[in-house]
Amino acid sequence: MMNKTNQSWGGRFNQPTDEFVKIFGASVFFDKILAPYDIQGSIAHATMLQEVGLLTEDEKSQIIDGLNTILTEIEKDKFDWSLDLEDVHMNIEARLVAMIGDAGKKLHTGRSRNDQVATDIRLYLREQLDKINDEIKRLQVALLNLAEQEASTILPGFTHLQAAQPVSFGHHMMAYFEMLSRDAERLIDCRKRLNSMPLGSAALAGTTYPIERARTAELLGFECICNNSLDGVSDRDFAIEFLSAASIIMMHLSRFSEELILWSSAQFDFIELPDSFCTGSSIMPQKKNPDVPELVRGKTGRVYGNLTAMLTIMKAQPLAYNKDNQEDKEPLFDTVDTLKACLRVFADMVPTIQAKRDNMYNSTKKGYTTATDLADYLVKKGLPFRDAHEVVGLSVAYGLKIQKDLSELNLEELQKFDARIENDVFDVLSLEGSLCARDHLGGTAPNQVKQAIKTARNNLT
């Protein structure tokens, strides 16, 4: 009978699994990525079983030595993965039994594949979160360096993609630094919630064996234990929370990508991306395409899709574990790999961005970007803001008519709109004056940007 059915669960079956169903239901093709974490969990489980008297010291040693040998085989790509054994857990267990005999069969005492995989995924994601946050920090350092270098570089700030007010290019870079800071905080918060151990929940109802879950949690570095066995095996909130945080990170990277794409175009020509992060055209010899930011922008939809997939997988599942949960791994693994790659390429690319300062400056002179400064000037002269707004609107209309910027109008022309205007107005109508005037916490004045960079560096270390 055991030759006809799966050796891990086939005792009550009289027929072997259909060959296509075997392929359809197997997860070993993708869940073998969990092998190091599965072995880590098994070593901790075996250690605990020995301490509570369910394994002898010799059996524990055989199991741990065997598992370490298997890990070496996997790392050297010498492990024979079997479709017949369905998943990473049974492949490792079968190999262990083949190596050490009956002692290997005792490893599964007091646990189920349900709590085993739930533990493996948490161990995997915990490690990946730390790696992702390392990449976020690397990108943040690159942004700080670029912002410091360009703290006094004047760039047109936009609303509705229309020139609005002068800003520091460094200040603009620091906006993305702030986004990434929130991203890192979300991942740290997510890590706290996922760092709860489900092992010991067994299939769904716990186990009759005298296990010590606190000891296993200690060995695996979990901060706490899942309090409810049903929830322990069926919870994927931590994965959904990560996918949500990942989607927000990708949204931030996509916004940055969009700006880099625009800025590197001939129409803007604000920055130069190096050849090493661009490609050419097969037909148009002059082309230099910003493929890296375009790909990151495109991959954002992929990560959004993974979040939607996971929410859909979980939305109608009754307690406790269901086979649907096999579908949780591919969206999760794909998101981890995609996010790490996007952060890595951005962290490599940002230090190479060259600001075309003259082009930025000349573009800022267009679009009447100091109009708000003129309104503020009139308010300080005693004019109510709404009246000042109207006066400046009329002066802009006049400038448009004669094709002159506000800074290019002479005093006589400006005084036609309000007699309060005096010679000192030209201090606020200059781009430099406008930039430096916003000298408050969070403002775009270069000295505020430099202080923000200094504070950010201290917080990162």
Side-chain angles (χ1 to χ4, degrees):
M1 184 70 68
M2 291 299 290
N3 292 330
K4 293 197 301 179
T5 61
N6 188 292
Q7 62 180 317
S8 67
W9 47 257
R12 61 97 69 212
F13 286 77
N14 294 315
Q15 295 178 335
T17 306
D18 178 89
E19 283 303 309
F20 180 73
V21 170
K22 186 188 300 182
I23 297 170
F24 183 72
S27 61
V28 69
F29 304 112
F30 51 84
D31 70 10
K32 60 185 179 181
I33 195 174
L34 295 175
Y37 312 97
D38 194 73
I39 289 171
Q40 181 185 355
S42 291
I43 289 173
H45 184 65
T47 300
M48 181 275 295
L49 290 178
Q50 184 274 321
E51 290 178 358
V52 299
L54 293 172
L55 290 177
T56 66
E57 179 66 36
D58 181 59
E59 289 170 332
K60 181 198 77 171
S61 297
Q62 289 183 59
I63 288 171
I64 292 176
D65 289 346
L67 288 170
N68 283 324
T69 299
I70 292 169
L71 180 60
T72 300
E73 291 176 350
I74 293 170
E75 290 173 342
K76 293 183 176 181
D77 200 24
K78 294 182 178 180
F79 189 85
D80 184 19
W81 297 100
S82 170
L83 177 67
D84 288 332
L85 293 170
E86 295 183 349
D87 57 38
V88 61
H89 321 293
M90 295 314 304
N91 268 267
I92 290 173
E93 183 177 314
R95 174 65 177 138
L96 182 66
V97 171
M99 291 172 62
I100 67 172
D102 286 348
K105 295 179 182 179
K106 295 184 177 183
L107 174 60
H108 209 53
T109 303
R111 74 176 183 184
S112 162
R113 283 187 294 177
N114 294 356
D115 63 344
Q116 188 178 354
V117 69
T119 302
D120 291 357
I121 295 174
R122 287 174 187 254
L123 291 171
Y124 160 82
L125 188 53
R126 186 177 70 185
E127 182 177 284
Q128 298 306 315
L129 285 178
D130 293 340
K131 292 180 178 179
I132 290 167
N133 258 336
D134 286 343
E135 286 299 322
I136 288 177
K137 184 175 180 180
R138 199 164 69 89
L139 175 52
Q140 286 184 295
V141 170
L143 285 169
L144 288 176
N145 292 339
L146 182 58
E148 190 168 46
Q149 178 181 312
E150 307 295 341
S152 299
T153 300
I154 296 177
L155 172 81
F158 296 92
T159 63
H160 308 277
L161 263 185
Q162 305 295 311
Q165 291 178 297
V167 298
S168 155
F169 185 48
H171 189 60
H172 199 111
M173 292 299 98
M174 288 301 291
Y176 287 105
F177 178 91
E178 292 297 327
M179 295 180 205
L180 289 166
S181 294
R182 295 193 297 273
D183 292 330
E185 288 172 3
R186 271 185 284 269
L187 292 180
I188 291 169
D189 202 41
C190 175
R191 192 187 192 281
K192 292 176 183 176
R193 269 182 289 281
L194 79 79
N195 205 24
S196 182
M197 190 190 73
L199 197 61
S201 300
L204 77 162
T207 177
T208 60
Y209 297 104
I211 60 173
E212 289 289 346
R213 298 185 71 199
R215 175 59 174 149
T216 314
E218 178 188 9
L219 291 168
L220 292 173
F222 283 108
E223 294 177 4
C224 57
I225 298 167
C226 296
N227 291 324
N228 183 285
S229 60
L230 289 165
D231 184 55
V233 297
S234 62
D235 169 40
R236 294 298 182 270
D237 290 2
F238 64 92
I240 294 170
E241 186 174 355
F242 163 72
L243 292 172
S244 175
S247 295
I248 295 173
I249 297 170
M250 290 300 297
M251 178 266 290
H252 290 153
L253 294 181
S254 186
R255 294 181 73 183
F256 197 4
S257 295
E258 177 71 7
E259 295 202 309
L260 294 178
I261 293 162
L262 289 172
W263 290 346
S264 63
S265 70
Q267 288 69 31
F268 280 78
D269 200 23
F270 288 174
I271 64 167
E272 182 76 24
L273 294 175
D275 292 353
S276 54
F277 290 91
C278 299
T279 65
S281 165
S282 63
I283 187 172
M284 295 170 284
Q286 84 282 8
K287 292 296 294 298
K288 182 178 177 179
N289 301 322
D291 277 17
V292 166
E294 287 177 351
L295 274 170
V296 171
R297 187 176 60 181
K299 288 178 183 294
T300 301
R302 177 173 178 162
V303 173
Y304 289 0
N306 288 338
L307 171 60
T308 301
M310 186 73 81
L311 287 167
T312 305
I313 289 165
M314 296 302 300
K315 76 175 180 65
Q317 282 198 45
L319 293 175
Y321 184 86
N322 299 276
K323 190 67 169 178
D324 311 46
N325 282 348
Q326 182 169 294
E327 293 297 305
D328 64 357
K329 297 168 194 63
E330 289 176 289
L332 180 62
F333 298 160
D334 181 70
T335 295
V336 166
D337 291 343
T338 300
L339 181 57
K340 285 197 299 186
C342 291
L343 287 166
R344 174 183 173 178
V345 77
F346 254 77
D348 291 342
M349 180 178 63
V350 166
T352 70
I353 294 172
Q354 295 295 316
K356 296 186 175 182
R357 297 167 185 165
D358 290 343
N359 291 353
M360 291 180 181
Y361 187 89
N362 291 332
S363 180
T364 312
K365 291 171 67 176
K366 303 172 185 177
Y368 301 88
T369 58
T370 58
T372 304
D373 297 273
L374 179 56
D376 292 343
Y377 170 88
L378 289 169
V379 169
K380 292 172 184 176
K381 294 284 186 176
L383 193 64
F385 180 79
R386 281 300 162 207
D387 293 337
H389 189 287
E390 183 177 1
V391 168
V392 177
L394 291 170
S395 64
V396 168
Y398 174 75
L400 286 167
K401 183 178 180 180
I402 64 172
Q403 296 186 335
K404 284 186 177 181
D405 184 65
L406 292 177
S407 62
E408 297 172 323
L409 300 179
N410 61 42
L411 183 59
E412 184 180 352
E413 289 173 307
L414 288 168
Q415 286 179 334
K416 290 179 182 179
F417 302 102
D418 196 283
R420 296 174 181 83
I421 299 175
E422 299 174 340
N423 267 319
D424 60 350
V425 73
F426 295 106
D427 293 334
V428 302
L429 289 181
S430 72
L431 299 183
E432 292 80 4
S434 173
L435 193 70
C436 293
R438 287 159 175 80
D439 191 8
H440 56 78
L441 183 64
T444 191
N447 63 304
Q448 290 292 339
V449 175
K450 291 173 185 176
Q451 183 57 50
I453 293 168
K454 181 179 178 181
T455 301
R457 287 195 193 280
N458 290 336
N459 290 339
L460 274 182
T461 55

